[in-house]
Amino acid sequence: MKNNKLSLGKLLLNPWFIIPVVFLLGRSLAIIGHYLLKTPFGSKITENVGIFFPFALAAELSIILGAIVCFRVLGHFLSSSCQVGQRKWLISGLIISLGVFSVLSQIDLELKRWMGIRLNFTWLEKSFLLTTHDQDLTGKILGSDLFGVAWASVCCLGPIFLSFFLWKKYSFQKELSQRATSVLVFTWASLAFLPLWANPSDSVWRQVRPVPYQFVEEVYQSYFQRPQVSEEGLRLLREHVQQSQVRTSYPLWQVYPQEKESIAEFRKKSLSEKPDIFIFVVESFRSWVVDFRDSRVEKIAPNLFQLWQERGRVYPRFHSNGYPSAEGIMSLHLGLWSHPHRIILHENVAMHSRSFSEILQLMGYHRTFLLGAEPTFDNLPPWLKKWYDHWEYDPLINNDELLARRFIELYEKMPTDQPKLMTLATVSTHKPYTLPPSEGEHPEDLQEAYIRAIRYLDRSLGTIIDHLRKSPRWKQTIIICTGDHSQPTEEYFQYREEIGLPNIGHTWIPLLLAAPYFSGEELDLRSSSHVDIPPTILDILKIKASHHFLGHSLLSAEENSSAYSIFFRGIGISQENFRYQIRLDDPRFAHKYQYDFSSEKGEGLPSRKKLKKLAWTEEEKEKMKTTRTMFESYSYILDNDLIRPREK
C-alpha cells in the first residue's frame, strides 16, 4: 500500500514547501525590522505595531503563496509534456519571481521609512534614478543608516541566494500531494481575500497592502477609474482663479488681451527700472525652526533675520502645495497645485503650460538655475530647459557653501544689459544633514543636526546676500526665500496616517520677501502657498500676462484665502489658524485641527497630544464635499492637457 504520509525529510526537500518558507522568513524579518527599528526621523514607524504587523505579515504571505499556486498549477499542466529537467525551470522561475517581489517589497518598506509613501511605478523609476544618477546623495542616505541598510539587504537578498543554493545542492525532485496542494490553495485564497474577511481599517490597509496590490490599483485607476469632470467642479475652479470669462475647455486659463502691449512697455523701460529677482529654494525648510517672529532665529539664521529687518516681509502661514521636492519646484514655477494622483513633472511632461520664468523671458530677463541635488531624480531636465536659459548641476558642488560660491560666479558672468532671474535650490538641509568635515562632528540628535545645517545654510546664503548688497543693482534687487517643502518631526511622521497626509509637518515652510520698498520686519498673516509666488512676481513687475496660476498676488489687499496641499489623494487645507485634512479615496476621513499660527510670536509645532481636534460645522462639511469635486475636475484637466490653449 502506498504511503501518502510526508516525512519531515521529504518535506524539506520539497520545493513547494521550502522555498516559500525561506522567503516568508525573509519577509517576516524585514517586517519586524520595519516596525521595530527607528526610522531616519528618530522614531518607530508606528507605535501600533500590534495592529499593523499581523496584517502586514498575512498580506505578504498571500503573495508568496499565490506565486506558489500559480507555478504549481503551471507545473501540473506541463507535467505531461515536459521532461523532469525542463520542469526544473519552473523552480528557477519561482525563485526569480519571489526574488523580484522581495526586492520591490523592501524598496516599498524603505520608502515608507524615509518618506512615508508607498511604492508605485513612478517611485520605482525615481528610486532607480536616485541610485544610478546621484551616488553622492545615495551614499549620504545609506551611510546614515548602515544597520538598517544591512538588515534590509539581508532580508530581501538573502532568501534569493539561499533558495538558489538549496536548489543547486539538493536538486528538488519531490512534488506535493493533491491533499497538500488543496491545503495550499485554500490557505492562499483565505489570505488573498484578507481585506474582506479581516476588515482592516482603511488607514491600516493603505499601509500594509503588498506591492502587487499597489501596482494593480495604479493601473486600474489609470485606465478604468479616471477622474471625471463636472460642471460644479469647473465652476469652483473658475471661481478660485476669478476667471472673468467662461472658457469651458480651459477653466484655469486667465486671458489678458493687452499682454503684448504690457510686455512691450516693460521692455522699453531702462535697466534701472527692471528689478533683478533672486529665488532661494531651501531644502526641507521648517517654519517652526526658522520663524522670524521668534527672536531666537537671529542666532540660528542671522543673515536671513537681518535681511528681514532691513527690507523684508514674512508670511508665517505659508505652505508648500505638495511634497516632496519635485512638487515644490513645480508649484513655484507653474503656479499649479500638485496632481492628486501622480507627479506632474514625471507624467505630464508634454503638458502645454506656462511658467512665470517663461513670461519673464518674454520681458527680456536672462534666467539661470543652480541646484545642489541630482535633477534627473525629479525629472527636472526637460522642464528646466523650458524654464531657464542656463541651468547647472555639478555633483562635485555638493554643499551649500560651494553652491553659494558658484552662484556668485554665475552672477558675475551674466549679461549686464539684461535684468536677471536667478534661482538656487540648496541641498545641505536634506536629511541626514551631512556637512563638510570642517563643520565639526555630526550631532546624534536630529533636531540639533537640522539646526546646525540651517546655520550652515544661512552662512552660505549670507555670502550671496553680502555680494548682492555690494552690487550697484542692490536697489533693484528682489529676494524671495522659501522652502521646497517642510519635513515632519518624528511624532508627525509616526502618526501621519492618524493626523492626515500631507500634514503641516510636510508643508509648513517660511516665506521671506525682501525688496527695497518694504520697511522691514513686516508680517502678513494671511494663508498662502507656492502658487501665490508666480502672480506675486508678475505684480512686482507690474506685468499683465495670460497665465494659469492658481494663486493670487501676495502684494494685493485680497481677503485671506485657503492654502491647498496635496499628496497622493490626501489633501490638507490651511485657512487662518485651522487645518482641514481629507482624502479623495476615503470620504470618511475628515479631520479639523486648530493651530496658533496667528500669534505675534512663534509658537513652534505643537505636539500631537496638544492638537486641538475640532468638530466640523455643516458649512465646512459641505465645503469639503465641493473640494473633492473640484479636485476631481482638476485631475481631469491635468490628465487631458487642458491647462493652456495651444497657439494657433
Short mmCIF file of all heavy atoms in Angstrom, two decimals, residues 542-572:
data_model
loop_
_atom_site.label_atom_id
_atom_site.label_comp_id
_atom_site.label_asym_id
_atom_site.label_seq_id
_atom_site.Cartn_x
_atom_site.Cartn_y
_atom_site.Cartn_z
N LYS A 542 4.69 94.64 -12.38
CA LYS A 542 3.57 95.39 -12.97
C LYS A 542 3.27 94.92 -14.39
O LYS A 542 3.06 95.71 -15.32
CB LYS A 542 3.86 96.90 -12.98
CG LYS A 542 4.25 97.47 -11.63
CD LYS A 542 3.18 97.25 -10.58
CE LYS A 542 3.60 97.84 -9.23
NZ LYS A 542 2.62 97.50 -8.16
N ILE A 543 3.26 93.58 -14.55
CA ILE A 543 3.04 92.98 -15.85
C ILE A 543 1.68 92.28 -15.87
O ILE A 543 1.31 91.58 -14.93
CB ILE A 543 4.15 91.96 -16.17
CG1 ILE A 543 5.42 92.70 -16.58
CG2 ILE A 543 3.76 91.00 -17.27
CD1 ILE A 543 5.28 93.42 -17.90
N LYS A 544 0.96 92.44 -16.96
CA LYS A 544 -0.28 91.72 -17.20
C LYS A 544 -0.04 90.71 -18.32
O LYS A 544 0.17 91.08 -19.47
CB LYS A 544 -1.41 92.68 -17.60
CG LYS A 544 -1.78 93.69 -16.53
CD LYS A 544 -2.42 93.01 -15.33
CE LYS A 544 -2.90 94.04 -14.31
NZ LYS A 544 -3.51 93.38 -13.12
N ALA A 545 -0.03 89.42 -17.96
CA ALA A 545 0.21 88.37 -18.96
C ALA A 545 -0.75 87.22 -18.70
O ALA A 545 -1.10 86.93 -17.55
CB ALA A 545 1.66 87.89 -18.89
N SER A 546 -1.18 86.58 -19.76
CA SER A 546 -2.09 85.44 -19.62
C SER A 546 -1.37 84.29 -18.92
O SER A 546 -0.20 84.02 -19.18
CB SER A 546 -2.58 84.99 -21.00
OG SER A 546 -3.26 86.04 -21.65
N HIS A 547 -2.08 83.60 -18.03
CA HIS A 547 -1.45 82.52 -17.27
C HIS A 547 -2.52 81.59 -16.70
O HIS A 547 -3.73 81.84 -16.83
CB HIS A 547 -0.58 83.09 -16.15
CG HIS A 547 -1.35 83.90 -15.14
ND1 HIS A 547 -2.16 83.35 -14.18
CD2 HIS A 547 -1.43 85.26 -14.96
CE1 HIS A 547 -2.69 84.30 -13.44
NE2 HIS A 547 -2.28 85.47 -13.89
N HIS A 548 -2.05 80.52 -16.04
CA HIS A 548 -2.96 79.56 -15.41
C HIS A 548 -2.65 79.42 -13.92
O HIS A 548 -2.91 78.38 -13.33
CB HIS A 548 -2.82 78.18 -16.09
CG HIS A 548 -1.40 77.75 -16.27
ND1 HIS A 548 -0.53 77.50 -15.23
CD2 HIS A 548 -0.68 77.53 -17.41
CE1 HIS A 548 0.64 77.14 -15.69
NE2 HIS A 548 0.59 77.15 -17.02
N PHE A 549 -2.10 80.46 -13.31
CA PHE A 549 -1.69 80.38 -11.92
C PHE A 549 -2.91 80.28 -10.99
O PHE A 549 -3.87 81.04 -11.14
CB PHE A 549 -0.85 81.59 -11.53
CG PHE A 549 0.34 81.80 -12.43
CD1 PHE A 549 0.80 83.08 -12.73
CD2 PHE A 549 1.02 80.72 -12.98
CE1 PHE A 549 1.89 83.28 -13.56
CE2 PHE A 549 2.11 80.90 -13.81
CZ PHE A 549 2.55 82.19 -14.11
N LEU A 550 -2.83 79.38 -10.05
CA LEU A 550 -3.94 79.15 -9.13
C LEU A 550 -3.87 80.03 -7.88
O LEU A 550 -4.76 79.97 -7.04
CB LEU A 550 -3.96 77.68 -8.70
CG LEU A 550 -4.40 76.70 -9.80
CD1 LEU A 550 -4.08 75.27 -9.39
CD2 LEU A 550 -5.88 76.85 -10.09
N GLY A 551 -2.81 80.83 -7.77
CA GLY A 551 -2.67 81.69 -6.60
C GLY A 551 -3.02 83.13 -6.90
O GLY A 551 -3.49 83.47 -7.99
N HIS A 552 -2.76 83.97 -5.92
CA HIS A 552 -3.05 85.40 -6.02
C HIS A 552 -1.85 86.18 -5.50
O HIS A 552 -1.09 85.69 -4.65
CB HIS A 552 -4.30 85.76 -5.22
CG HIS A 552 -5.48 84.90 -5.53
ND1 HIS A 552 -6.21 85.02 -6.69
CD2 HIS A 552 -6.03 83.86 -4.85
CE1 HIS A 552 -7.18 84.11 -6.70
NE2 HIS A 552 -7.08 83.39 -5.60
N SER A 553 -1.67 87.38 -5.98
CA SER A 553 -0.52 88.17 -5.59
C SER A 553 -0.52 88.43 -4.09
O SER A 553 -1.53 88.84 -3.50
CB SER A 553 -0.51 89.51 -6.34
OG SER A 553 0.51 90.35 -5.82
N LEU A 554 0.62 88.21 -3.48
CA LEU A 554 0.76 88.45 -2.04
C LEU A 554 0.91 89.94 -1.73
O LEU A 554 0.91 90.33 -0.56
CB LEU A 554 1.97 87.69 -1.51
CG LEU A 554 1.86 86.16 -1.59
CD1 LEU A 554 3.18 85.51 -1.18
CD2 LEU A 554 0.74 85.66 -0.71
N LEU A 555 1.05 90.77 -2.76
CA LEU A 555 1.12 92.22 -2.56
C LEU A 555 -0.25 92.86 -2.58
O LEU A 555 -0.39 94.05 -2.25
CB LEU A 555 2.01 92.86 -3.63
CG LEU A 555 3.44 92.33 -3.74
CD1 LEU A 555 4.21 93.12 -4.80
CD2 LEU A 555 4.15 92.37 -2.41
N SER A 556 -1.25 92.11 -3.00
CA SER A 556 -2.60 92.66 -3.07
C SER A 556 -3.24 92.70 -1.69
O SER A 556 -2.74 92.10 -0.73
CB SER A 556 -3.46 91.82 -4.02
OG SER A 556 -3.71 90.54 -3.43
N ALA A 557 -4.35 93.38 -1.61
CA ALA A 557 -5.06 93.51 -0.34
C ALA A 557 -6.25 92.56 -0.27
O ALA A 557 -7.21 92.81 0.46
CB ALA A 557 -5.53 94.96 -0.15
N GLU A 558 -6.17 91.43 -1.00
CA GLU A 558 -7.29 90.49 -1.01
C GLU A 558 -7.49 89.85 0.35
O GLU A 558 -6.56 89.74 1.16
CB GLU A 558 -7.03 89.40 -2.06
CG GLU A 558 -7.08 89.90 -3.48
CD GLU A 558 -6.95 88.76 -4.47
OE1 GLU A 558 -7.09 87.60 -4.07
OE2 GLU A 558 -6.69 89.04 -5.66
N GLU A 559 -8.73 89.41 0.58
CA GLU A 559 -9.05 88.74 1.83
C GLU A 559 -8.29 87.43 1.94
O GLU A 559 -7.81 86.89 0.95
CB GLU A 559 -10.57 88.48 1.91
CG GLU A 559 -11.41 89.75 2.01
CD GLU A 559 -11.20 90.48 3.32
OE1 GLU A 559 -10.96 89.80 4.34
OE2 GLU A 559 -11.25 91.72 3.31
N ASN A 560 -8.20 86.93 3.16
CA ASN A 560 -7.50 85.67 3.40
C ASN A 560 -8.16 84.53 2.64
O ASN A 560 -9.37 84.39 2.61
CB ASN A 560 -7.52 85.37 4.90
CG ASN A 560 -6.62 84.20 5.24
OD1 ASN A 560 -5.42 84.26 5.02
ND2 ASN A 560 -7.20 83.16 5.78
N SER A 561 -7.36 83.70 1.98
CA SER A 561 -7.89 82.55 1.24
C SER A 561 -7.29 81.28 1.81
O SER A 561 -6.55 81.30 2.80
CB SER A 561 -7.55 82.68 -0.25
OG SER A 561 -6.14 82.75 -0.42
N SER A 562 -7.60 80.16 1.19
CA SER A 562 -7.12 78.87 1.66
C SER A 562 -5.84 78.48 0.92
O SER A 562 -5.64 78.83 -0.24
CB SER A 562 -8.18 77.79 1.44
OG SER A 562 -9.36 78.09 2.16
N ALA A 563 -4.98 77.74 1.62
CA ALA A 563 -3.78 77.17 1.00
C ALA A 563 -3.99 75.67 0.91
O ALA A 563 -4.23 75.00 1.92
CB ALA A 563 -2.55 77.50 1.83
N TYR A 564 -3.91 75.13 -0.31
CA TYR A 564 -4.16 73.70 -0.55
C TYR A 564 -2.83 72.97 -0.71
O TYR A 564 -1.96 73.39 -1.47
CB TYR A 564 -4.99 73.51 -1.81
CG TYR A 564 -6.40 74.05 -1.71
CD1 TYR A 564 -6.69 75.35 -2.11
CD2 TYR A 564 -7.44 73.25 -1.22
CE1 TYR A 564 -7.98 75.85 -2.03
CE2 TYR A 564 -8.73 73.75 -1.14
CZ TYR A 564 -8.99 75.04 -1.53
OH TYR A 564 -10.26 75.54 -1.45
N SER A 565 -2.68 71.86 -0.01
CA SER A 565 -1.51 71.00 -0.11
C SER A 565 -1.97 69.59 -0.45
O SER A 565 -2.89 69.06 0.21
CB SER A 565 -0.72 70.99 1.20
OG SER A 565 -0.33 72.31 1.56
N ILE A 566 -1.34 68.97 -1.46
CA ILE A 566 -1.82 67.68 -1.98
C ILE A 566 -0.69 66.67 -1.96
O ILE A 566 0.46 67.00 -2.27
CB ILE A 566 -2.36 67.85 -3.43
CG1 ILE A 566 -3.54 68.83 -3.46
CG2 ILE A 566 -2.79 66.51 -4.01
CD1 ILE A 566 -3.15 70.26 -3.73
N PHE A 567 -1.02 65.45 -1.60
CA PHE A 567 -0.03 64.38 -1.58
C PHE A 567 -0.73 63.05 -1.79
O PHE A 567 -1.30 62.48 -0.88
CB PHE A 567 0.72 64.39 -0.24
CG PHE A 567 1.79 63.33 -0.13
CD1 PHE A 567 2.99 63.46 -0.79
CD2 PHE A 567 1.58 62.21 0.65
CE1 PHE A 567 3.98 62.50 -0.68
CE2 PHE A 567 2.56 61.23 0.77
CZ PHE A 567 3.76 61.38 0.11
N PHE A 568 -0.71 62.55 -3.03
CA PHE A 568 -1.27 61.24 -3.38
C PHE A 568 -2.61 60.97 -2.69
O PHE A 568 -2.71 60.16 -1.77
CB PHE A 568 -0.26 60.13 -3.06
CG PHE A 568 0.85 60.04 -4.06
CD1 PHE A 568 2.10 60.53 -3.76
CD2 PHE A 568 0.64 59.50 -5.31
CE1 PHE A 568 3.13 60.47 -4.69
CE2 PHE A 568 1.66 59.43 -6.25
CZ PHE A 568 2.90 59.91 -5.93
N ARG A 569 -3.63 61.67 -3.16
CA ARG A 569 -5.02 61.51 -2.75
C ARG A 569 -5.33 62.10 -1.38
O ARG A 569 -6.46 62.07 -0.93
CB ARG A 569 -5.47 60.04 -2.80
CG ARG A 569 -5.29 59.40 -4.16
CD ARG A 569 -5.74 57.94 -4.18
NE ARG A 569 -5.39 57.31 -5.43
CZ ARG A 569 -4.24 56.69 -5.67
NH1 ARG A 569 -3.34 56.64 -4.72
NH2 ARG A 569 -4.00 56.15 -6.83
N GLY A 570 -4.32 62.60 -0.70
CA GLY A 570 -4.55 63.30 0.56
C GLY A 570 -4.48 64.79 0.34
O GLY A 570 -3.67 65.29 -0.45
N ILE A 571 -5.35 65.55 1.01
CA ILE A 571 -5.40 67.00 0.84
C ILE A 571 -5.42 67.66 2.22
O ILE A 571 -6.18 67.27 3.11
CB ILE A 571 -6.65 67.44 0.05
CG1 ILE A 571 -6.65 66.81 -1.34
CG2 ILE A 571 -6.71 68.96 -0.07
CD1 ILE A 571 -7.88 67.13 -2.16
N GLY A 572 -4.55 68.64 2.39
CA GLY A 572 -4.56 69.47 3.59
C GLY A 572 -4.94 70.89 3.19
O GLY A 572 -4.34 71.46 2.27
#
